[in-house]
Amino acid sequence: QVQLVESGGGLVQPGGSLRLSCAASGFNFQYAAVGWFRQAPGKEREGVSYISASDGTTHYADFVRGRFTISKDNAKNTVYLQMNSLKPEDTAVYYCATDPDSEGGMGTYEYDYWGQGTQVTVSS
């Protein structure tokens, strides 16, 4: 069965960094679209970043471009989100997502499988 498990969230001060990890299993990770989303209380889930299935191209939302980096390690079946220069508005639950049959994208509808989420809180 497809399984995604996020880790690495926590409390960090503004300007700090965190690296989120998403361990994947149950599918051919190398050829699947994988992405990161986040959801703050009272807000809709929004796309943060993803890696396209077709060519491995990385994509970023405007609000994280230049600060966050998505990457994956196919040997470890793990996708990462390196988050630098964190801001209070980055506070949210972060989810990884995948769809083995999808190209990927920034919309939640692009993905069929989701992790449980990991809380990121940016506060002084």
Side-chain angles (χ1 to χ4, degrees):
Q1 299 296 311
V2 173
Q3 186 176 31
L4 302 170
V5 181
E6 302 98 332
S7 62
L11 175 64
V12 64
Q13 295 190 149
S17 298
L18 286 173
R19 189 184 71 164
L20 306 184
S21 298
C22 175
S25 61
F27 64 101
N28 291 325
F29 178 79
Q30 182 177 356
Y31 304 106
V34 291
W36 286 96
F37 291 75
R38 70 187 189 186
Q39 187 167 24
K43 297 183 178 180
E44 67 181 69
R45 191 168 298 186
E46 61 185 355
V48 174
S49 182
Y50 74 95
I51 301 175
S52 64
S54 60
D55 60 6
T57 302
T58 59
H59 306 264
Y60 299 92
D62 289 343
F63 53 81
V64 304
R65 189 172 291 109
R67 299 188 296 123
F68 293 9
T69 303
I70 189 171
S71 62
K72 65 174 182 175
D73 187 333
N74 289 331
K76 296 182 178 180
N77 281 7
T78 301
V79 59
Y80 304 95
L81 186 68
Q82 178 66 46
M83 305 187 294
N84 300 137
S85 302
L86 283 162
K87 305 174 181 179
E89 51 263 45
D90 294 319
T91 296
V93 177
Y94 283 72
Y95 301 87
C96 64
T98 191
D99 190 334
D101 302 313
S102 174
E103 164 68 9
M106 209 65 78
T108 58
Y109 62 89
E110 307 278 6
Y111 304 90
D112 289 337
Y113 302 97
W114 298 83
Q116 84 289 352
T118 184
Q119 176 71 47
V120 172
T121 302
V122 184
S123 177
S124 59

